[in-house]
């Protein structure tokens, strides 16, 4: 196959945005689409080579996999080996256990299946601390290589033309599957091959077309293709449903460049620039190095690393990429005599290295991250108390859920004073449950009950799509909550939820729509549903003679507080547990007021509109504010158990504020 320098230039266009996206530079919010460009390039090159070999009778499945092993395994093995000492030194047990799982998964090229099964997803903050997260795309490619050569060889007897249309049909089915996938199974849609295969097959289609006809140079179509890729890089972000029809933008752009950016076109001249070609040549190694560098930097720091450091690490990834390309990749691929010249020796060494890495990964997993590495503290020590402060509260542990339909949404007594002045019912999703300890002071004079379920907002007339329960469960719970408020002779209902999640979803899950609406809701539908359901829900409760308190959502954090505290313990940063040092680290890693407004502004605004007679809106944001940030803890511990739920310490921290607020509210109501 004739060498095309513009393809290496296209590789540079793909890898640099991916690196800068993972470094956290907001301008490259869609930089992750570089992976999709790589898929197109891979599909094009592999298919072109296979078609040429099948047509001239030189195809060999053993030689194909030997080439893949020489191309993929040496640099990958070096990067994985380099990760091991840093993982041992810097990862807390949970992280090391997960790292071990990923090492084993990489050996078998199934890391995409591993990350699919893990919570959070590709865009979750915790994903930034996974050194081998990026290997999901290598796994998808290798899974494609498992069936592509054999499929082409076996189906060749039907003729090239029919085989082409089989490829086109398969790509269309996969593309249509993504439209279902991003709505109903977004993690699977992102990671699994059946939802990604169409992108590689788009490259295969280019290979079919390019190997049958002379090069078709076209300035305008190739420029359009490069423009589409650039548009996706700068216009898409983590809220873009992906992959979906939106992925046609970068994939279609890459296909246009492959098909029409031939010698003499503007785009070919641009992509053939020495700098871009040079980066393209080392792009595989650059892709391998960048994520471990960023992940370990984030693991080592108690706060998000400075942009200058991340840019420096991005540059370092290119330096390491050149070294591994020059001294690892090239020796194994050089002609006529590469390292390990015997084909059987290549496979044997690959097997041996794979067994070693699989053993290391399995040990880290089975040993649960080797917790003996974590500094041990005396029982009741300050360090132990700080780490435990981020535990989830369990004040509802005695609740009998067996009486609720499907065990969802039982009416639970939480605080029961001997002579209650008022009866208060707290309703909502998992945020309402996490908030219960903050009502301990209120519970000294008022009876406090709770009724709720995770991912079920306390809203009448809405459906939750992609939540923890099937459609209908949350709708039924909302109606039972209204009935409980009326029949239980409650004075106040407190509506608590992660309000900001439901209009935008959680990576396209937990979106709401008006009850009975057809199809999966868009974010516009979800915004409209929240704006309509909030006042309607409040009105229905007021009709029952119940006062309503709308508890605004607490600020969301980007970091996991308990992991930061454990990290300080692992690294032996005893000074990090001192008051001033700890508070500074907390402040630096906490969310800013601006970020919180951007995330929660719409939902908070809708709540504020409902203030009125017997309707209060209670915000606790001010309790978290410190010098332009909403902090996740203080020198006594963490307020959060994760990025958005209150911890045991957080509930105690807010208790006085909640007690004072409800003292004012209950004074406006008649006592029992």
């Amino acid at each position: 196959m004739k060498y095309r320098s513009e393809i290496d230039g296209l590789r540079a266009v793909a890898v640099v945005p991916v690196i800068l996206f993972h470094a956290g530079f907001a301008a490259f919010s869609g930089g992750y689409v570089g992976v999709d460009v790589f898929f197109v390039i891979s599909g094009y090159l592999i298919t072109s080579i296979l078609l040429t070999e099948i047509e001239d009778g030189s195809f060999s499945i053993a030689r194909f996999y030997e080439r893949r092993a020489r191309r993929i395994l040496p640099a990958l093995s070096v990067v994985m080996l380099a990760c091991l000492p840093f993982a041992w030194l810097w990862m807390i047990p949970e992280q090391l256990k997960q790292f071990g799982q990923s090492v084993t998964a990489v050996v078998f090229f199934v890391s995409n299946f591993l990350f699919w099964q893990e919570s959070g997803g590709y865009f979750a903050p915790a994903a930034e601390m996974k050194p081998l997260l990026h290997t999901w795309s290598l796994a998808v490619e290798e899974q494609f290589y498992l069936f592509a050569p054999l499929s082409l060889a076996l189906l060749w007897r039907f003729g090239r033309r029919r085989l082409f249309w089989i490829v086109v049909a398969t790509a269309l089915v996969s593309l249509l599957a993504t439209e279902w996938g991003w709505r109903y199974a977004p993690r699977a849609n992102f990671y699994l091959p059946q939802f990604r295969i169409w992108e590689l097959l788009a490259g295969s289609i280019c290979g079919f077309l390019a190997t049958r006809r002379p090069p078709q140079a076209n300035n305008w179509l190739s420029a359009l293709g490069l423009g589409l890729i650039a548009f996706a890089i700068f216009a898409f972000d983590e809220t873009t449903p992906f992959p979906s029809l939106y992925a046609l933008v970068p994939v279609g752009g890459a296909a246009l460049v492959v098909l029409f950016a031939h010698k003499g076109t503007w785009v070919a001249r641009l992509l053939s620039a020495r700098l871009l070609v040079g980066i393209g040549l080392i792009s595989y190694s650059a892709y391998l190095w960048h994520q471990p560098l960023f992940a370990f930097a984030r693991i080592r720091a108690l706060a998000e690393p400075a942009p200058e450091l991340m840019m420096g690490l991005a540059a370092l990834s290119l330096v390491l990429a050149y070294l591994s390309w020059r001294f690892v990749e090239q020796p194994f691929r050089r002609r006529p005599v590469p390292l390990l010249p015997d084909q059987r020796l290549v496979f044997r060494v690959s097997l041996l290295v794979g067994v070693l890495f699989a053993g290391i990964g399995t040990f880290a997993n089975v040993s649960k991250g080797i917790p003996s590495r974590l500094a041990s503290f005396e029982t009741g020590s300050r360090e132990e108390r700080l780490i435990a402060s981020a535990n989830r509260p369990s004040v509802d542990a005695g609740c009998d859920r067996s009486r609720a339909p499907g065990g969802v949404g039982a009416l639970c007594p939480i605080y029961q004073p001997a002579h209650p002045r008022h009866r208060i019912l707290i309703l909502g999703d998992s945020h309402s449950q996490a908030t219960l300890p903050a009502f301990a002071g209120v519970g000294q004079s008022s009876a406090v009950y709770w009724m709720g379920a995770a991912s079920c907002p306390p809203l009448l007339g809405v459906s939750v799509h992609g939540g923890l329960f099937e459609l209908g469960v949350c709708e039924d719970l909302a109606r039972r909550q209204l009935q409980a408020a009326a029949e239980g002779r409650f004075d106040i209902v407190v509506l608590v939820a992660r309000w900001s999640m439901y209009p935008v979803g959680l990576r396209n899950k937990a979106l709401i729509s008006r009850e009975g609406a057809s199809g999966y809701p868009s974010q516009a539908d979800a915004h409209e549903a929240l704006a309509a359901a909030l006042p309607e829900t409040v009105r229905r409760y007021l009709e029952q003679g119940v006062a309503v308190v709308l508890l605004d959502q607490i600020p969301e954090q980007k970091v996991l507080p308990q992991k930061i505290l454990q990290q300080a313990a692992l690294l032996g940063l005893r000074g990090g547990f001192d008051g001033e040092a700890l508070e500074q680290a907390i402040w630096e890693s906490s969310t800013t007021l601006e970020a919180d407004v951007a995330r929660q502004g719409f939902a908070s605004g809708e709540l504020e509109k409902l203030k009125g007679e017997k309707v209060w809106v209670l915000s606790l944001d001010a309790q978290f504010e410190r010098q332009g940030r909403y902090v996740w803890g203080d020198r006594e511990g963490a307020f959060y158990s994760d990025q958005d739920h209150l911890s045991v310490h957080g509930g105690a921290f807010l208790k006085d504020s909640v007690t004072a607020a409800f003292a004012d509210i209950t004074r406006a109501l008649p006592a029992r």
Side-chain angles (χ1 to χ4, degrees), residues 306-375:
E308 296 80 8
L309 174 59
M310 299 305 280
M311 182 58 78
L313 292 174
L316 178 59
S317 70
L318 297 180
V319 174
L320 293 174
Y322 171 76
L323 294 175
S324 58
W325 173 81
R326 175 69 177 82
F327 298 108
V328 180
E329 288 188 62
Q330 290 300 101
F332 280 93
R333 302 177 68 197
R334 70 184 174 211
R335 297 175 181 176
V337 184
L339 282 179
L340 304 181
D342 182 76
Q343 185 181 87
R344 287 175 297 180
L345 187 57
V346 170
F347 293 142
R348 288 171 182 169
V349 171
S350 298
L351 178 62
L352 175 61
V353 173
V355 169
L356 290 174
F357 276 117
I360 292 170
T362 301
F363 175 69
N365 180 30
V366 172
S367 66
K368 298 182 179 180
I370 318 173
S372 58
R373 300 170 306 115
L374 188 64

Side-chain angles (χ1 to χ4, degrees), residues 149-160 162-164 166-167 170:
L150 288 175
S151 298
L152 286 176
L154 292 174
L155 296 174
W156 188 254
R157 67 178 183 270
F158 294 110
R160 181 188 175 108
R162 288 179 180 174
L163 180 54
F164 171 77
I166 290 172
V167 170
T170 305

Side-chain angles (χ1 to χ4, degrees), residues 64-140:
F64 173 82
Y65 286 121
E66 179 195 357
R67 289 198 302 260
R68 299 318 305 157
R70 290 184 181 277
R71 166 66 170 158
I72 299 296
L73 297 182
L76 177 60
S77 299
V78 168
V79 171
M80 290 173 64
L81 185 64
C83 288
L84 296 181
F86 297 101
W88 172 273
L89 292 170
W90 293 351
M91 283 184 157
I92 61 175
E94 180 186 355
Q95 290 172 328
L96 187 61
K97 177 183 177 180
Q98 293 175 349
F99 175 74
Q101 293 171 346
S102 65
V103 168
T104 304
V106 169
V107 170
F108 295 100
F109 289 104
V110 291
S111 57
N112 57 330
F113 284 89
L114 172 68
F115 296 130
W116 161 52
Q117 293 289 351
E118 293 181 351
S119 62
Y122 182 78
F123 298 104
E128 296 179 339
M129 298 187 183
K130 297 181 185 296
L132 299 178
L133 175 71
H134 59 326
T135 61
W136 74 268
S137 63
L138 299 183
V140 170

Side-chain angles (χ1 to χ4, degrees), residues 194-341:
Q194 61 266 38
F195 301 106
R196 290 287 189 169
I197 194 70
W198 70 272
E199 301 179 24
L200 288 142
L201 292 179
S204 296
I205 292 169
C206 294
F208 270 92
L209 296 174
T211 55
R212 180 46 66 94
R213 63 184 187 181
Q216 304 290 311
N218 188 300
N219 274 320
W220 297 108
L221 289 178
S222 58
L224 173 62
L226 191 60
L228 289 173
I229 296 171
F231 174 80
I233 290 169
F234 297 109
F236 289 4
D237 59 27
E238 64 182 59
T239 67
T240 304
F242 207 89
S244 65
L245 291 178
Y246 282 97
L248 283 171
V249 177
V251 170
L256 288 174
V257 172
V258 167
L259 288 173
F260 299 108
H262 290 282
K263 187 175 181 180
T265 61
W266 308 320
V267 172
R269 285 196 292 269
L270 173 63
L271 295 180
S272 297
R274 291 186 63 182
L275 177 62
L276 290 180
V277 171
I279 294 175
L281 288 171
I282 64 172
S283 60
Y284 172 60
S285 282
Y287 184 76
L288 289 179
W289 280 110
H290 83 280
Q291 177 64 15
L293 289 173
F294 296 156
F296 283 118
R298 290 182 169 110
I299 288 169
R300 181 62 177 80
L302 293 181
E304 177 69 13
E308 296 80 8
L309 174 59
M310 299 305 280
M311 182 58 78
L313 292 174
L316 178 59
S317 70
L318 297 180
V319 174
L320 293 174
Y322 171 76
L323 294 175
S324 58
W325 173 81
R326 175 69 177 82
F327 298 108
V328 180
E329 288 188 62
Q330 290 300 101
F332 280 93
R333 302 177 68 197
R334 70 184 174 211
R335 297 175 181 176
V337 184
L339 282 179
L340 304 181

